[in-house]
Amino acid sequence: MPERLDAFMARANAAYYATHDPFADFTTAPEISQMFGELIGAWAAVTWASMGAPAPLILVEAGPGRGTLMRDMLRATARVAPDFRAACHVHFIETSPRLRAVQAAAVPDAVWHECLDHLPAGPAILLANEFLDALPIRQFVRRHGGWMERFVAAGCFVEQPAVVAWQAPQGSIIELGEAAAAWVGGVAARLAAQGGAALILDYGTAEGSPGDSLQALRSGAPADPIAAPGTADLTAHVDFAAARRHAEAAGAAVWGPVRQGAFLTRLGLRHRAAALARANPGRAAEFADAAERLSAPSRMGALFKVLALSQPGLPMPPGFAA
Ligand code: SAH
């Protein structure tokens, strides 16, 4: 039986995250530098104040990996925004038992959930860094006779007729990130009803379907995405235009997407790198290099985008521009 690409991707990634250390295959912004978590901690503390400083605050991270972003946020805010830190109840959305154990070592007082619906009620700040790119996608190909959808059968791509009516030249590929869009819609509905804000960071496009962006990393190298399911990390670019539409339809206010380079620069990345270099002169080059990796357009600064959602009526959050 051919398996639709999104079902294949969901199954392959669940097996991959349950059995592998993904950080052997790729690195992420919080793993590059503590500055990432420190700046996002400042973002969360300022946003919390703009919400009226509710206590308790449900602080949620989806797909927290090694727990590094949350650990760095909590450490930094305990020092510079102790009231915020004291209000936080930390919740993780994570399906991999293996990664839950790693996260527990970094953030011992977190509470784990399988999905968004299981979180406790109340005002919340949600974070997701490189989470949406792991969610399953569908792909459609325009052929001579009409649109076909991609399935996987016996280790190969096969196509079956699809009932869609887009206009595009022959050979075009359209990707649909339905799971990511639905997740963003669910977050937006929660924020509109119960208050709070969300920050979503990932690689992707601001202008619509990314075309064929499915990629696989096996042992750190690009690999065939459908060979040996469960042995490679499968990702796709996030369609931030679709995320915006779903968030607005669900009643949230939306800012961005803006480029990660501009976002982190507005939050003070350069100043933070300089301050850390002054305090640790022997590591000055390391902090400068990390700031460059996170923000230069040729590194992560342009491909990665940042989208914020909030309850209606909050001021524009830090890092965005009118
Ligand atoms: N945010 C981290 C890790 C990114 S890797 C970082 O920036 O370093 C993707 C993370 O999402 C992993 O923790 C993985 O186990 C988790 N994940 C993937 N699919 C998921 C799903 N459907 N539900 C919950 N967590 C998921």
Side-chain angles (χ1 to χ4, degrees):
M1 262 295 277
E3 187 176 18
R4 211 169 74 181
L5 180 57
D6 54 343
F8 173 85
M9 186 170 168
R11 183 169 66 81
N13 268 348
Y16 171 78
Y17 284 110
T19 53
H20 287 70
D21 174 5
F23 300 95
D25 288 336
F26 58 84
T27 192
T28 58
E31 303 297 333
I32 288 173
S33 173
Q34 68 186 71
M35 294 186 288
F36 188 76
E38 291 168 349
L39 295 173
I40 291 186
W43 183 92
V46 170
T47 301
W48 170 74
S50 79
M51 290 159 56
L57 172 73
I58 299 166
L59 179 61
V60 184
E61 186 178 355
R66 285 179 172 162
T68 307
L69 168 60
M70 185 60 76
R71 188 200 62 202
D72 289 344
M73 281 181 68
L74 295 176
R75 191 193 58 243
T77 53
R79 209 158 22 85
V80 301
D83 295 350
F84 167 79
R85 173 63 190 95
C88 289
H89 289 190
V90 177
H91 294 264
F92 283 155
I93 299 173
E94 175 60 67
T95 41
S96 160
R98 201 169 182 282
L99 285 174
R100 282 187 182 199
V102 178
Q103 292 152 17
V107 186
D109 57 350
V111 179
W112 282 263
H113 306 272
E114 285 288 312
C115 65
L116 202 55
D117 305 345
H118 297 176
L119 293 170
I125 290 183
L126 292 97
L127 308 164
N129 184 62
E130 289 206 46
F131 169 67
L132 293 183
D133 65 60
L135 299 187
I137 53 147
R138 299 170 67 180
Q139 281 189 343
F140 299 84
V141 191
R142 174 73 195 183
R143 298 291 180 205
H144 184 64
W147 284 98
M148 306 290 283
E149 179 162 11
R150 285 183 138 175
F151 287 66
V152 179
C156 293
F157 278 120
V158 296
E159 295 175 0
Q160 301 199 352
V163 195
V164 293
W166 300 306
Q167 297 298 321
Q170 256 191 66
S172 302
I173 296 182
I174 288 191
E175 238 168 51
L176 270 192
E178 290 174 325
W183 193 83
V184 172
V187 168
R190 181 197 163 105
L191 297 176
Q194 302 181 43
L199 192 67
I200 295 168
L201 305 98
D202 222 312
Y203 48 93
T205 62
E207 317 73 24
S209 174
D212 178 11
S213 75
L214 180 63
Q215 60 185 38
L217 281 182
R218 184 178 295 115
S219 311
D224 178 348
I226 56 175
T231 64
D233 176 57
L234 301 184
T235 62
H237 284 32
V238 173
D239 177 349
F240 279 99
R244 264 197 79 101
R245 280 197 307 279
H246 281 76
E248 280 168 351
V254 185
W255 285 274
V258 296
R259 292 172 165 203
Q260 176 170 296
F263 175 77
L264 293 177
T265 301
R266 289 189 192 109
L267 291 183
L269 177 64
R270 301 278 181 290
H271 301 286
R272 187 65 195 137
L276 285 166
R278 276 194 302 278
N280 311 271
R283 296 173 62 196
E286 177 197 325
F287 295 121
D289 178 60
E292 157 91 8
R293 282 180 76 180
L294 293 172
S295 66
S298 62
R299 313 293 290 278
M300 298 174 79
L303 176 60
F304 282 74
K305 311 289 188 297
V306 188
L307 184 75
L309 321 178
S310 76
Q311 66 189 73
L314 282 199
M316 184 172 68
F320 294 83

